[in-house]
Amino acid sequence: MQEELIEKVINIEQQAQGLKDDLTVEIKELEEKYEKRMAREEKVKIEESKTKGEEILAESKVGAEKFADNLEKESNNEIKKIESNYQKVKTDLLKKYFDKIISSGR
């Protein structure tokens, strides 16, 4: 009877060791699975971040181009105003000096 009990204890220990080994293998497989999944998710997040960064850059570029266009238009309008004022002053000065020349020649 003791021998049977010893055999049962040995069998239980062997089964426990087998379950432990099975669980160790299963845990290792799960760890590998989750590591692969995390690596895929990291790649996806990196790609999403890259795409978002490119979108922000494109939006910034469009905004900068619009600003530059507006600035150029404003500058051209300002130059036209200055040229117009210059032409008026130039015409007035030429008339003034022409009148002086004519009046001094009399």
Side-chain angles (χ1 to χ4, degrees):
M1 178 129 172
Q2 284 184 337
E3 290 178 13
E4 289 177 19
L5 287 174
I6 292 173
E7 284 182 27
K8 286 183 180 182
V9 169
I10 291 173
N11 283 338
I12 290 172
E13 285 181 9
Q14 287 175 345
Q15 288 175 351
Q17 185 62 41
L19 288 174
K20 181 181 173 187
D21 292 343
D22 290 346
L23 284 175
T24 302
V25 169
E26 189 176 335
I27 289 170
K28 185 161 178 80
E29 288 173 353
L30 283 173
E31 285 176 346
E32 290 173 358
K33 178 182 173 182
Y34 283 111
E35 285 175 1
K36 288 178 183 178
R37 181 176 177 190
M38 289 178 2
R40 281 193 310 268
E41 287 180 10
E42 182 179 3
K43 286 180 184 178
V44 168
K45 287 186 181 196
I46 289 172
E47 192 60 37
E48 287 174 351
S49 296
K50 181 181 175 184
T51 302
K52 186 68 175 173
E54 289 171 350
E55 289 172 1
I56 291 170
L57 181 63
E59 290 172 5
S60 296
K61 183 179 177 184
V62 168
E65 288 173 348
K66 286 181 181 178
F67 178 78
D69 288 343
N70 288 338
L71 188 61
E72 185 176 357
K73 287 176 185 176
E74 289 176 14
S75 295
N76 287 338
N77 289 338
E78 190 67 27
I79 289 171
K80 286 178 185 178
K81 286 180 186 176
I82 292 170
E83 286 177 351
S84 175
N85 289 340
Y86 169 75
Q87 290 302 326
K88 287 179 186 176
V89 170
K90 179 181 170 185
T91 303
D92 290 345
L93 285 175
L94 286 175
K95 185 176 186 288
K96 180 179 174 183
Y97 287 117
F98 182 73
D99 288 346
K100 279 188 177 185
I101 292 171
I102 291 179
S103 65
S104 67
R106 291 184 191 175

